Amino acid sequence: MKRGERIYSYIEEKSEAWPEEMLKGRVGFGAQEIAEALGILRNNVSKELNALQRQGRIVKFSGRPVLYFDRGCLESALGVTLGECQFDDVEAICQSKTPQELENPFARLIGADRSLRRQVEQAKAAILYPPDGLHTLIVGQTGVGKTLFAHMMFEYGKVMHRFAADAPFVTFNCADYYDNPQLLISHIFGYVKGAFTGADQSKAGLVEEADGGVLFLDEIHRLPPEGQEMIFYFMDTGTFNRLGETQRSRRAKVLIIGATTEDPDSALTKTFVRRIPNLMKIPPLAERSTDEKLDIIKLMFQDEAQRVKKPIRVGVETIKALVGSIGSGNAGQLKSNIKLLCAQAFLNGIDSPEGIEVDFKMLPQQIRSGLLTLSANRQALTEVTKALGSDSCIIVPPGPDFLLTDGASGAEFNLYQVVEAKVDLLKGEGISSDLIKQILAADVNVYVRNLYNKKASVNMTTRERLLKIVDASLVDFAEQVALYVQKRMNASYHDRFLYAFSLHLSAFLKRVKSKDAAHKELEGAVPQDSLCLEVATEIGSLIGKHYRLEVPRVEIEYIALLLESSQEDERDDRVVIVVATHGQSTATSMVEVAQRLFGTTDVSVLAVDMPLEVRPQAVLDKMAAMLQSVPCLKGVLILADMGSLCNLGPSLEKRLDVPVRTIDMVSTPLILEAMRKAELAGMDLDGLYDSLASFHGYEARDVTQDEALEKVTDDGRVVVTICSTGKGTALKLKSLIEEILRGAGQPLPVIPVGLVKLEEHLREIAESHRIVAAVGVKKPALRIPFIPLEAIIGGEGENALLELVAGGHDTSHQRQGSRVVQSLCAESLCKFLTYLNPEKVMPLLMEFDERLEAGRREPLPNPLRIRLLVHCGCALERCVVRKPLHYGGSLAELRTEKVEALKAAAEIFSEKLHLTLAADEYYFMAEMI
């Protein structure tokens, strides 16, 4: 158990045993007491206690000594939900939650006392204004929380007794019937029998349903002018008529709250806007303060922790990426992103009793790029870093009283739920059984394809992922079935089908045990003469024999749907290349030449010719038609020559709903390179675009990524880097190895490869090159000298690599691992330093490092050197801004010779920068070493 967890377990155990009647004044346990009980140095205990308090797991009571108590035990005993985690005493906790604040729904709204303070005051005034409140219009972008705000206004009205406890809150989205104004108006106000064709009986509208409460009209700008007129007449008089009635004789007492994403002055009639006295604008999430963004993210993770009933560990870089990814989707999109991440983390750690972890590596690219966006804003990055600290955040389930969202999230695979929920919904809408079956087949197809991404976790096999969820015996049987299917249908079915079938079989066996029947409506969704149904029937027999039970017909249909949805289509994993040029047959000729040279007639390379008399719109239509006939979900790369053809991408992207990138100045070598990288390297669209954007033909050029395959050195030697995907980390490692080799005067080509088809790629490289060494995360089966990644980071691997490359010649021009240390330190300091230039500071830090090692006569391991130098770089910046750290540990426990060695080495900063570090900075560094 880690040190921090040991300390937390001690506090939790002691807090649970604390008598409830003794919860008075300052309660808890001090750092000294914990240090003596667990045998840990006091300053280390203090550090871990501060980290636990920042994570919200313990409560801190100020005073001398500072005391700490378990937050969960305190909340349970006092019957409160704590927002902050530092108080003077227990009485301060009770006083901080007055009865009125507990009842006030806006007290739960993040930003109610900050960026949304004015809006909250407007909302309260609208509810309390005599005699019946003020009608309100809420304006804001999609996802800012307009619906949530309307609900809080309603709850506040009930608390203040402006609405009865059982008053209705009726919601209607005006966009549902915006193309049929008559139907929309009849839905809001009701209609009488005979008002229109099909009105066989009278029906009350939403206004009558909301009598005594609130009618919330979302997307109110979709109301037609005549509907707006009827609404504002109702606002003025409180009377209305149903569609088909001539007299406004009906009355209702309704507070109307509208919401819109549009400018009211342009989207609504002026008369209607004048009738709404209370106009509130909710700011987009991107404009709110850093603290509020972090609080919202924490609240959303708390919601998910409540669902899974486990703590969620979230990395600091993950939170930074989420903050940076906030855009036009606002809180709504942020919430969806967090749900998706937690569902994936839940699936990965379903058997872990300690909780689940949301790691930066699992973020999709659009969220991961948020870290770069945030890094571009130094002030925002500094604020986020200061608020988060350097430790991972642990979000604990907040308790039974926690309420935030609607509905439940299903992280587990359950095909029955997908089908049955959709059947009930479609039946309620009066959809025919035949159409329901068609919709079900399409939905299951999409669900299964999205469930398993065979490239999402290449460092974990499908079997390893399954064993975290289902029994080994079930996986063994499922693997036999998957091999049978692959042979029977003569197609690549193994991974995706194995994953989906194993989880579905587990759910089926649970249904059999609980005697819960599957939904009969599915029967007939698969063509009765299809091969999938035939093979599914055979699989049903295998299941029956293996588990000694009868497999019902509807279950055969489920398996057939899985077979249809799970077939591996290799073409779906490739980017489609479109060559578009001016002229009668220029593009066609170029593609034919490229295909002959490449030895393929692949249909994923398309030629589009544009004769000079043809308009661009006609070419766009032709291109779209061609692409609709081939799978292009992975995206489209347009290689164009010039002019209007270079501008078709955005229109094509909108029409096909797939990503499209364009490169101009097309040439035959460019087409060949695109085909090679899409086919052999399997690159995605962005990777393909980035690598081709700087391509200048096969003659003299720089070597980047896969292009290193084309560069031949005098003796054909290359170094290979191995990481999970051959991208991301592999490219960083490639850059690091290139720097090491250049510094040693051995600038060999470095080729990054992924774990997928590793041996095959290595053999392909070895056919034309001599692989001097492989560096990375996995040792290849081929007889190639291998250096683990951790050895490179540790320093000893750098010398080993240089010896292999130099063939035993002297490479002692630089001390062990210095280039690795320098590169990694510089990368970290670029994130942390605001005022100092990392490029200028780095040489001084390396000289400090050399002086320190000479003074101590004892080398430090590379990880510790990196940590020490990054701390020292940050200490220099703190010295510039005059905000030094204050050491809270015991000076008596620090070795004087370490402090003196640090001070002697740091004289370089006085000599070159005229900066002198504070004494406390030396104490922190002495504690490190």
Side-chain angles (χ1 to χ4, degrees), residues 506-757:
S506 176
F508 166 65
L509 296 176
K510 288 179 182 177
R511 281 211 170 206
V512 171
K513 190 174 181 180
S514 62
K515 299 180 180 180
D516 187 9
H519 215 296
K520 296 290 183 183
E521 194 64 48
L522 183 66
E523 292 191 25
V526 181
Q528 299 303 300
D529 59 348
S530 74
L531 177 61
C532 287
L533 188 61
E534 183 181 333
V535 175
T537 304
E538 296 165 8
I539 293 173
S541 300
L542 294 174
I543 295 173
K545 289 178 183 178
H546 187 83
Y547 291 100
R548 298 180 182 178
L549 51 82
E550 184 178 349
V551 180
R553 176 66 182 180
V554 65
E555 190 60 37
I556 302 298
E557 297 262 356
Y558 274 107
I559 298 172
L561 274 179
L562 284 179
L563 285 169
E564 282 193 344
S565 305
S566 302
Q567 185 167 8
E568 302 281 355
D569 188 350
E570 293 299 330
R571 244 174 243 300
D572 285 352
D573 288 335
R574 303 228 311 267
V575 175
V576 176
I577 301 166
V578 177
V579 179
T581 64
H582 292 78
Q584 293 291 339
S585 59
T586 308
T588 302
S589 299
M590 293 176 74
V591 169
E592 285 178 358
V593 170
Q595 287 179 332
R596 288 184 64 183
L597 290 173
F598 198 71
T600 181
T601 56
D602 197 344
V603 295
S604 62
V605 182
L606 307 176
V608 177
D609 298 302
M610 181 181 176
L612 296 179
E613 66 273 10
V614 175
R615 300 181 61 185
Q617 183 62 43
V619 176
L620 175 64
D621 295 339
K622 179 182 178 181
M623 196 181 293
M626 294 174 70
L627 288 168
Q628 285 170 346
S629 64
V630 297
C632 56
L633 296 178
K634 295 296 181 182
V636 176
L637 178 66
I638 300 175
L639 303 179
D641 56 355
M642 61 181 181
S644 58
L645 291 174
C646 299
N647 301 320
L648 298 180
S651 300
L652 196 64
E653 187 171 71
K654 188 174 182 181
R655 185 179 295 193
L656 299 179
D657 195 26
V658 296
V660 178
R661 305 296 290 271
T662 303
I663 297 177
D664 60 3
M665 302 291 288
V666 63
S667 63
T668 302
L670 183 66
I671 300 171
L672 271 172
E673 188 71 358
M675 292 172 65
R676 186 182 67 80
K677 290 184 175 179
E679 174 72 24
L680 298 181
M683 297 177 71
D684 61 13
L685 179 61
D686 288 336
L688 194 58
Y689 175 83
D690 291 340
S691 66
L692 293 175
S694 58
F695 179 77
H696 301 295
Y698 288 120
E699 299 304 322
R701 57 190 173 93
D702 294 334
V703 180
T704 58
Q705 202 176 357
D706 293 274
E707 297 174 27
L709 284 168
E710 265 62 55
K711 181 172 180 179
V712 180
T713 56
D714 293 338
D715 54 3
R717 294 180 302 157
V718 295
V719 175
V720 172
T721 57
I722 303 171
C723 279
S724 298
T725 63
K727 308 170 187 175
T729 305
L731 295 178
K732 283 190 176 181
L733 180 57
K734 171 183 180 291
S735 176
L736 184 60
I737 298 301
E738 285 177 336
E739 188 176 337
I740 292 172
L741 294 174
R742 277 197 302 269
Q746 300 283 341
L748 299 186
V750 179
I751 304 173
V753 295
L755 294 179
V756 178
K757 298 181 180 179

Side-chain angles (χ1 to χ4, degrees), residues 229-241:
E229 182 181 349
M230 295 178 72
I231 289 285
F232 74 63
Y233 188 88
F234 171 68
M235 290 178 180
D236 283 346
T237 65
T239 63
F240 67 98
N241 61 284

Side-chain angles (χ1 to χ4, degrees), residues 453-527:
N453 181 350
K454 65 180 181 180
K455 293 184 179 179
S457 182
V458 288
N459 59 336
M460 187 183 292
T461 66
T462 303
R463 180 181 177 87
E464 289 171 341
R465 293 166 67 188
L466 284 169
L467 288 175
K468 289 179 173 289
I469 309 169
V470 296
D471 295 336
S473 59
L474 189 150
V475 177
D476 291 339
F477 173 70
E479 285 182 328
Q480 295 174 18
V481 172
L483 290 171
Y484 173 82
V485 169
Q486 193 166 339
K487 183 178 180 180
R488 178 74 171 77
M489 300 190 73
N490 193 27
S492 178
Y493 263 82
H494 192 263
D495 281 349
R496 190 185 292 161
F497 176 77
L498 173 61
Y499 195 80
F501 176 73
S502 298
L503 297 179
H504 176 68
L505 180 59
S506 176
F508 166 65
L509 296 176
K510 288 179 182 177
R511 281 211 170 206
V512 171
K513 190 174 181 180
S514 62
K515 299 180 180 180
D516 187 9
H519 215 296
K520 296 290 183 183
E521 194 64 48
L522 183 66
E523 292 191 25
V526 181

Side-chain angles (χ1 to χ4, degrees), residues 218-360:
D218 200 6
E219 297 199 58
I220 197 171
H221 58 276
R222 297 286 196 174
L223 272 178
E226 56 267 36
Q228 295 179 37
E229 182 181 349
M230 295 178 72
I231 289 285
F232 74 63
Y233 188 88
F234 171 68
M235 290 178 180
D236 283 346
T237 65
T239 63
F240 67 98
N241 61 284
R242 293 182 180 177
L243 191 65
E245 293 178 336
T246 57
Q247 299 293 324
R248 288 191 174 96
S249 56
R250 298 180 184 273
R251 304 190 70 87
K253 182 181 176 182
V254 178
L255 181 69
I256 292 178
I257 302 176
T260 179
T261 57
E262 306 297 321
D263 178 9
D265 293 331
S266 59
L268 299 168
T269 64
K270 293 182 179 180
T271 312
F272 183 65
V273 174
R274 283 201 302 268
R275 293 302 199 285
I276 303 179
N278 189 33
L279 179 67
M280 290 192 303
K281 293 185 179 180
I282 307 296
L285 186 55
E287 294 180 8
R288 296 174 68 175
S289 69
T290 298
D291 287 341
E292 289 182 26
K293 293 174 187 175
L294 293 175
D295 287 344
I296 289 170
I297 289 173
K298 181 179 179 182
L299 190 67
M300 290 176 176
F301 273 115
Q302 280 185 322
D303 183 35
E304 299 309 311
Q306 178 79 348
R307 292 183 191 282
V308 301
K309 307 299 182 188
K310 290 181 178 182
I312 300 176
R313 180 186 292 273
V314 189
V316 171
E317 298 301 309
T318 300
I319 297 179
K320 289 180 181 178
L322 286 168
V323 172
S325 68
I326 292 172
S328 58
N330 290 292
Q333 183 62 52
L334 180 63
K335 180 179 175 182
S336 298
N337 290 341
I338 289 174
K339 276 182 174 294
L340 178 65
L341 293 174
C342 289
Q344 186 179 347
F346 177 77
L347 197 63
N348 293 340
I350 196 167
D351 292 329
S352 172
E354 297 180 359
I356 63 178
E357 182 171 3
V358 179
D359 187 67
F360 184 77

